[in-house]
Amino acid sequence: MKSAKSLLVAAAAALSTLCANAQTDPGLTDKTIKIGMFGPLSGNSMAYGFDVMNAAKMYYDKVNKEGGIHGRKIELVIEDDRCNANDLLAAVKKLTEQDKVFALNGGSCSAAVVGAREYVERSQIPLVMLNASGDGALYPPSKYIYGAFSISQRAVGGSMVQFASEYLKGKKIGYINHDDAYGGWNLEAAEFQAKKLGVDLQVQSVAPNLTDVTAPMLKIRAANPDVLLITTYARPVSLLVKKAQELGWTKPIVIAVNGTADLKQLVENVGNMDAFKNVYLQEVMADVAGGPKLKWVYDMYKSYYPELASKPGYPQTYMPYGIPSAMTVVNALKAAGPQPTREKFLTALSQTKFESNVMAGPIELTPVDHAGQKSAIYLKFDGTTMTPVPGAYRSLWTYQPK
């Protein structure tokens, strides 16, 4: 009788274990949590993600060396998306269906990552972007997608208007953006911020491939704003700064982070140091690259990748951006508890708030806003030296359901 009872207890325990295992989400074992990472590891756009992924990898390795998350180590499966929408979607599908990862941590190029939104939602797999702004995937908010740990395009525009009004005392502000979706997003928040602050925004929207910027610059000069904000990509920035100098513009020019990836090239393209007498740069990190506030990140990179760090051009400009993204994944996994599920992880993501000591402002996620970072600092740039301006300037725009 006792033996029969013992068998029944054992059978019940085995059945319970089987049920528990059957309910376990993909990518989890008693010892590991499998995370799928993707970004541009090759191609013309690898500068946007190669070292960003290296930064995330070194942070995950640090966490693993410290004992992991509730006893589990992070196991990474890595794919190259080449900043191409088709390659990115293929990578996401492979990681989800073949590698069966628990969650995704990837995306350095916004246009490419936006194209994966429908698949991610249909598959109900959490996606935490790397450094893509990703407005098109973040708004309206999706239960499964979080990002903009660098900054969203909307926050780019809002923060710039705040800086122009508060620090540069601009009452009338010139604003040049692109006439595409990304330009529309940063303009939306810029107009919102301008209305809140009671300043006049004079807008010129230009095509991304524009080669002659004379007309928009003449219109800006005729409007006679106190400050000029440029939120275009890198090539139009150099054309606009050069044309402004040729037209005798001497008032402040503020360049968004979108156009400052290669400052040496910008200066060469403009070709006249006098054009930089009154120029400011938007920066979404807490300090200039390698500055005292970010020294720990660059020291960590040199420790993990000594050979790479010794090469010219490394670490790449956006390297530190990978750390807040990985921190967000780790913090949410810790908050999900020792028996994590995707649902618990998503709930934890929606309640995330911490200081990364990397970006200009806190990383803050809520159930109604999945864009992680809203602030920027500003640097006075004379063509050679960057000098931080005190304080951080935050975008006020928030998503309103339509």
Side-chain angles (χ1 to χ4, degrees):
M1 191 75 175
K2 185 177 180 181
S3 177
K5 185 176 180 181
S6 296
L7 286 172
L8 285 171
V9 170
L15 181 61
S16 175
T17 300
L18 285 171
C19 290
N21 288 339
Q23 294 171 2
T24 299
D25 285 326
L28 288 173
T29 72
D30 289 342
K31 295 183 178 180
T32 62
I33 303 172
K34 192 184 291 186
I35 302 294
M37 183 179 287
F38 56 92
L41 297 175
S42 62
N44 294 333
S45 299
M46 68 176 290
Y48 290 110
F50 175 77
D51 259 355
V52 176
M53 295 176 73
N54 281 336
K57 284 159 57 180
M58 72 185 184
Y59 185 78
Y60 284 131
D61 189 59
K62 173 180 178 291
V63 170
N64 284 342
K65 287 178 178 177
E66 293 171 351
I69 300 167
H70 301 298
R72 291 182 175 90
K73 300 293 179 69
I74 297 288
E75 177 187 338
L76 296 176
V77 185
I78 298 172
E79 293 292 328
D80 182 4
D81 68 24
R82 299 173 186 83
C83 266
N84 175 282
N86 291 332
D87 289 334
L88 186 147
L89 184 57
V92 167
K93 286 182 175 180
K94 176 185 177 293
L95 292 166
T96 303
E97 300 172 12
Q98 183 176 320
D99 299 306
K100 298 189 182 302
V101 299
F102 177 77
L104 300 166
N105 182 202
S108 296
C109 300
S110 293
V113 78
V114 167
R117 173 171 174 148
E118 182 182 350
Y119 176 83
V120 168
E121 291 182 323
R122 188 168 68 248
S123 302
Q124 299 182 345
I125 183 169
L127 166 59
V128 179
M129 296 180 201
L130 276 168
N131 55 315
S133 58
D135 290 63
L138 294 171
Y139 301 111
S142 165
K143 174 181 178 179
Y144 302 99
I145 304 174
Y146 291 80
F149 300 103
S150 53
I151 195 168
S152 72
Q153 277 302 304
R154 288 177 169 89
V156 162
S159 171
M160 288 185 77
V161 171
Q162 184 72 26
F163 173 71
S165 172
E166 184 176 328
Y167 184 81
L168 298 175
K169 309 303 180 186
K171 299 298 183 184
K172 181 187 286 188
I173 298 171
Y175 193 92
I176 300 180
N177 69 326
H178 282 308
D179 59 2
D180 58 9
Y182 303 101
W185 292 332
N186 63 56
L187 178 59
E188 180 180 359
E191 290 176 331
F192 180 90
Q193 201 101 1
K195 186 176 180 180
K196 286 279 187 182
L197 297 171
V199 300
D200 179 12
L201 204 64
Q202 298 289 318
V203 181
Q204 288 294 311
S205 297
V206 302
N209 59 353
L210 186 69
T211 57
D212 185 353
V213 299
T214 304
M217 273 307 306
L218 284 172
K219 290 177 182 177
I220 287 291
R221 190 178 69 168
N224 195 30
D226 305 311
V227 183
L228 173 58
L229 308 183
I230 303 176
T231 68
T232 68
Y233 306 131
R235 177 166 171 73
V237 166
S238 61
L239 296 173
L240 289 162
V241 173
K242 184 176 183 178
K243 183 59 66 174
Q245 197 274 331
E246 290 173 357
L247 294 175
W249 180 275
T250 59
K251 297 174 183 178
I253 295 175
V254 188
I255 303 172
V257 69
N258 308 18
T260 61
D262 191 336
L263 290 176
K264 181 180 178 182
Q265 190 63 55
L266 170 63
V267 173
E268 288 179 2
N269 289 345
V270 171
N272 188 332
M273 294 296 283
D274 286 344
F276 295 94
K277 285 184 176 179
N278 205 358
V279 168
Y280 296 83
L281 309 177
Q282 184 184 52
E283 173 56 69
V284 297
M285 291 190 294
D287 201 349
V288 296
K293 292 182 181 178
L294 295 175
K295 184 177 183 298
W296 69 275
V297 177
Y298 288 86
D299 287 347
M300 189 176 174
Y301 181 92
K302 291 174 185 175
S303 173
Y304 272 83
Y305 310 109
E307 292 186 11
L308 196 57
S310 67
K311 294 181 179 180
Y314 289 88
Q316 294 173 323
T317 301
Y318 299 117
M319 180 273 290
Y321 291 17
I323 292 191
S325 174
M327 281 181 171
T328 299
V329 172
V330 168
N331 287 354
L333 284 172
K334 288 179 178 178
Q339 300 301 325
T341 64
R342 284 178 173 173
E343 196 65 30
K344 290 179 183 177
F345 178 64
L346 288 166
T347 298
L349 280 172
S350 72
Q351 300 169 0
T352 294
K353 185 174 182 180
F354 65 94
E355 289 286 353
S356 67
N357 295 317
V358 177
M359 308 315 290
I363 303 301
E364 186 172 4
L365 303 167
T366 73
V368 295
D369 196 336
H370 297 179
Q373 218 258 134
K374 303 290 197 306
S375 298
I377 64 169
Y378 292 83
L379 314 169
K380 186 77 168 62
F381 180 58
D382 62 6
T384 304
T385 305
M386 292 179 286
T387 306
V389 169
Y393 297 82
R394 183 177 175 87
S395 173
L396 300 175
W397 181 90
T398 55
Y399 174 74
Q400 298 296 325
K402 295 179 181 178

